Amino acid sequence: MSGKFDPNFTQHVIDTMGPNVTPRNRQIFTALFKHLHDFTREVELTPEEWMAGVKMLNQTGQISDSRRNEMHRLSDIVGLESLVTEIANHVSAENAAPTSSAILGPFWSPNAPWRELGGSIIQDDAPGGLVTLMHGTVTDMSTGKPIPNVVVDIWQASSNGKYDFQDPENQSDNNLRGKFRTNSEGKYYFYCLRPTAYSLPVDGPAGTLLKLLDRHPMRPAHIHLMITHDDYKSVITQIYPKDDPWLETDTVFAVKDDLVVDFVPTDKDPKAVRDMELNIILAPNNIHEISKPVSVRV
Amino acid sequence: MSGKFDPNFTQHVIDTMGPNVTPRNRQIFTALFKHLHDFTREVELTPEEWMAGVKMLNQTGQISDSRRNEMHRLSDIVGLESLVTEIANHVSAENAAPTSSAILGPFWSPNAPWRELGGSIIQDDAPGGLVTLMHGTVTDMSTGKPIPNVVVDIWQASSNGKYDFQDPENQSDNNLRGKFRTNSEGKYYFYCLRPTAYSLPVDGPAGTLLKLLDRHPMRPAHIHLMITHDDYKSVITQIYPKDDPWLETDTVFAVKDDLVVDFVPTDKDPKAVRDMELNIILAPNNIHEISKPVSVRV
């Protein structure tokens, strides 16, 4: 295919790599150059199309700053973060699986405060927000036993679809963020909001790309979770209400079946109007892994 | 291969494209998503490696401005511009070929002044520069006949390796730039410098990438040419002195055999110490093209 172009070009580019390239970089760049060149030849990319791509990528960097990572977003909408997340969390085991991972996204903060079990992450008014008691048990994938002292780090957007640092007029620092520890029975429980679906910002190159792809910019409503314990593989994930209309077409492709949950109306808790149970399964660090060779097309 | 990952993921991302995507964009993005995902799965790209790429691309945009296009440079050092140039200028004919194309690069200016045949593009002192009489005939690939009124637009770096707008302290606007027209015999001739090899700027992400690849940042000495005539396919190209040490490993992969020329010492011309002949062949616009189907791997 496309054999009419110089058949030695790509190998020549690969061969210019010097002897001091690390084995991993040599593997990555060899594959990257092959795929980038094969793509270019297959579609017979024109100089104008190539230059449009160069321009869009420059603009993507230029609109990014400490609060906005547009390149991260651009790679999300083409599925890249979801894919590296799947690869990183691939666990091959025979009869069990840990809770699925989903992308981290650009809104995690290392500064989320520790909060007491039974506390709330809601610091500020959220018009229309539905207060939810979220709770569950964290268990060991191998033994099925509950795990105490697991850190459950949670963050979510407010009812206007914005995270604290996107919305300083309405939200105080660390609104809708918090870290909890499971108790001696492996349980956690706290108050949060039923999440709200929102649009990615479309005023930058990611919005331009979505328009070219004739796609909507919506993420289904979700709550982010980072679940960690020294003896277990970490799980970074998101959960989604089962009645969300964007589950099938999430613009960053992060929905998996076991991450879809039910926010059940309740009148038993004076502090909440919804009850949501999420049990979490963690894989021990020493879990037996099968079939994980590194494969490179050469 | 890599069948352990979700086999439907890439097709799902492709299928989210809406009905209003243009056929060409659908072709481009379908191939792009496949190659990007295949690359990611083949090397099992880690989240840290992906994020390092995101960061490097953001920095590439951020260091770019009206005088510096770092994304253009980054795509040059992975061979992309050279490849799209080859694809765009591919002419299939049985017994002849036009002068090869080479990349435009980021230093062409639309404002180069018209100059008379026999004039010089050297406006400012160039320490160590070797003044060269460059001359030749432009001919028709089909008939072999000379072509009058061809525009030969030329630009080059000075003896310090810098173009006019990179070097305002030493060079006036349009130094080492000029447009000429071939005479009634299809001939052009003017004075320029024997070109000087130079390093790409390595203080940005392109330099970082070259270091990762254990590659040098050198371009062989070259003169840029853009040769145009309404009845012929344009040729954008570069020519290189045959004794340049970087011909084989040009960091942007733009050297082709017929673009290597000889700067011959001369004492016949009081204005020049080198004589260089470059004859140029242009393909008529209506040249018969064979085997140019668009092929996409589906």
Side-chain angles (χ1 to χ4, degrees):
Chain A
M1 173 194 332
S2 303
K4 62 188 171 169
F5 304 121
D6 178 358
N8 303 313
F9 183 74
T10 300
Q11 193 59 46
H12 175 58
V13 172
I14 291 167
D15 289 344
T16 58
M17 275 191 273
N20 298 312
V21 179
T22 68
R24 178 61 175 162
N25 279 337
R26 191 178 300 276
Q27 177 189 34
I28 288 175
F29 287 108
T30 296
L32 183 62
F33 295 163
K34 284 185 186 193
H35 279 293
L36 212 51
H37 290 190
D38 281 349
F39 155 72
T40 304
R41 282 184 287 251
E42 276 175 33
V43 304
E44 300 198 2
L45 198 71
T46 69
E48 293 73 23
E49 290 162 345
W50 158 75
M51 191 41 87
V54 164
K55 196 173 163 189
M56 178 178 248
L57 289 174
N58 266 332
Q59 289 170 338
T60 303
Q62 283 156 0
I63 207 173
S64 295
D65 58 26
S66 61
R67 291 181 172 212
R68 177 173 188 160
N69 188 333
E70 188 80 358
M71 200 69 73
H72 184 160
R73 185 165 290 134
L74 205 65
S75 72
D76 279 1
I77 65 177
V78 303
L80 266 195
E81 185 176 9
S82 191
L83 193 53
V84 296
T85 301
E86 182 195 1
I87 292 167
N89 296 284
H90 184 72
V91 176
S92 293
E94 275 157 31
N95 296 309
T99 295
S100 291
S101 296
I103 68 172
L104 175 66
F107 296 114
W108 177 74
S109 164
N111 304 319
W114 288 100
R115 301 187 193 267
E116 295 295 315
L117 286 178
S120 175
I121 63 170
I122 309 167
Q123 295 174 179
D124 304 307
D125 270 353
L130 300 173
V131 178
T132 299
L133 176 65
M134 174 167 169
H135 58 95
T137 306
V138 182
T139 55
D140 180 306
M141 181 179 111
S142 300
T143 65
K145 290 187 181 164
I147 315 170
N149 276 318
V150 174
V151 177
V152 179
D153 183 355
I154 179 176
W155 65 106
Q156 67 175 154
S158 189
S159 54
N160 62 359
K162 292 186 177 169
Y163 292 84
D164 57 353
F165 48 71
Q166 294 179 299
D167 190 27
E169 309 83 46
N170 301 303
Q171 299 184 53
S172 53
D173 280 356
N174 293 317
N175 184 43
L176 299 171
R177 300 179 184 275
K179 286 188 284 200
F180 300 87
R181 271 185 203 281
T182 57
N183 64 18
S184 59
E185 297 170 312
K187 289 186 189 301
Y188 73 88
Y189 47 103
F190 59 83
Y191 294 95
C192 60
L193 294 176
R194 182 194 182 288
T196 304
Y198 61 81
S199 170
L200 298 188
V202 293
D203 59 334
T208 306
L209 180 58
L210 287 170
K211 201 158 256 172
L212 284 178
L213 299 174
D214 191 24
R215 278 173 43 184
H216 69 71
M218 297 301 293
R219 293 231 54 213
H222 60 276
I223 296 174
H224 292 272
L225 293 159
M226 183 186 289
I227 304 137
T228 51
H229 186 291
D230 283 349
D231 300 334
Y232 294 86
K233 294 181 193 293
S234 298
V235 171
I236 294 170
T237 194
Q238 304 180 19
I239 52 173
Y240 310 90
K242 70 174 189 182
D243 54 351
D244 189 281
W246 313 105
L247 292 178
E248 291 299 318
T249 57
D250 175 13
T251 196
V252 304
F253 309 104
V255 178
K256 283 155 201 170
D257 289 347
D258 68 315
L259 302 177
V260 176
V261 296
D262 198 3
F263 287 78
V264 184
T266 179
D267 52 12
K268 282 186 275 183
D269 186 330
K271 295 190 197 161
V273 295
R274 293 287 184 277
D275 180 280
M276 191 270 285
E277 180 174 35
L278 175 74
N279 297 314
I280 297 163
I281 302 169
L282 297 184
N285 281 331
N286 60 359
I287 191 75
H288 176 59
E289 288 196 42
I290 53 173
S291 72
K292 198 157 180 169
V294 173
S295 52
V296 186
R297 205 181 273 160
V298 177
Chain B
M1 171 190 340
S2 302
K4 61 187 170 171
F5 305 120
D6 178 358
N8 302 313
F9 182 75
T10 300
Q11 194 58 47
H12 175 59
V13 173
I14 291 167
D15 289 345
T16 58
M17 276 191 272
N20 298 312
V21 179
T22 67
R24 177 61 176 163
N25 279 337
R26 190 177 302 277
Q27 177 189 34
I28 288 174
F29 287 108
T30 297
L32 183 62
F33 296 162
K34 286 186 185 196
H35 279 293
L36 213 50
H37 290 191
D38 281 349
F39 156 71
T40 304
R41 282 183 288 252
E42 277 175 32
V43 304
E44 299 199 4
L45 198 71
T46 69
E48 293 72 24
E49 290 163 346
W50 159 75
M51 191 43 87
V54 163
K55 195 173 164 191
M56 178 178 246
L57 289 174
N58 267 332
Q59 289 170 338
T60 304
Q62 283 157 359
I63 207 174
S64 295
D65 58 27
S66 61
R67 289 183 174 208
R68 177 172 186 159
N69 189 334
E70 188 79 358
M71 200 69 73
H72 184 157
R73 185 164 290 138
L74 204 65
S75 71
D76 279 2
I77 65 177
V78 302
L80 265 195
E81 185 176 11
S82 190
L83 193 54
V84 297
T85 300
E86 181 194 4
I87 293 167
N89 294 285
H90 184 73
V91 175
S92 293
E94 276 156 30
N95 295 310
T99 295
S100 291
S101 295
I103 68 172
L104 175 65
F107 296 113
W108 177 75
S109 163
N111 304 319
W114 288 100
R115 302 188 193 265
E116 295 296 315
L117 286 178
S120 175
I121 63 171
I122 309 166
Q123 296 174 177
D124 304 307
D125 271 353
L130 300 175
V131 178
T132 299
L133 176 65
M134 173 169 169
H135 58 95
T137 305
V138 184
T139 55
D140 180 307
M141 181 179 110
S142 302
T143 66
K145 288 187 181 166
I147 316 170
N149 275 318
V150 173
V151 177
V152 178
D153 184 354
I154 180 175
W155 64 107
Q156 67 175 154
S158 189
S159 53
N160 62 0
K162 293 186 176 171
Y163 292 85
D164 58 351
F165 47 73
Q166 294 179 300
D167 191 27
E169 310 81 48
N170 300 304
Q171 297 184 54
S172 53
D173 279 357
N174 293 316
N175 184 42
L176 300 172
R177 300 178 184 276
K179 285 187 285 200
F180 300 87
R181 271 185 202 281
T182 56
N183 64 19
S184 58
E185 295 170 312
K187 290 188 188 301
Y188 73 89
Y189 47 102
F190 58 83
Y191 293 95
C192 60
L193 294 177
R194 184 195 182 286
T196 303
Y198 61 81
S199 169
L200 298 188
V202 293
D203 59 334
T208 306
L209 180 58
L210 286 171
K211 201 158 259 174
L212 284 178
L213 298 174
D214 191 24
R215 278 171 44 183
H216 68 72
M218 296 301 292
R219 293 232 53 216
H222 59 277
I223 296 174
H224 291 273
L225 293 159
M226 183 186 288
I227 305 139
T228 52
H229 186 292
D230 282 351
D231 300 335
Y232 293 84
K233 295 182 192 295
S234 298
V235 170
I236 294 170
T237 195
Q238 303 180 19
I239 51 174
Y240 309 89
K242 70 174 188 182
D243 53 351
D244 189 281
W246 312 105
L247 292 178
E248 290 300 317
T249 57
D250 176 11
T251 195
V252 304
F253 308 104
V255 178
K256 285 157 198 167
D257 288 346
D258 68 315
L259 302 177
V260 177
V261 295
D262 197 3
F263 288 77
V264 183
T266 178
D267 53 11
K268 281 186 278 185
D269 185 330
K271 294 189 197 164
V273 295
R274 292 290 183 275
D275 180 281
M276 192 268 285
E277 179 173 34
L278 175 75
N279 297 313
I280 296 163
I281 302 170
L282 296 184
N285 282 330
N286 60 359
I287 191 76
H288 176 60
E289 288 196 42
I290 53 172
S291 72
K292 198 159 180 170
V294 174
S295 52
V296 187
R297 206 180 274 162
V298 177

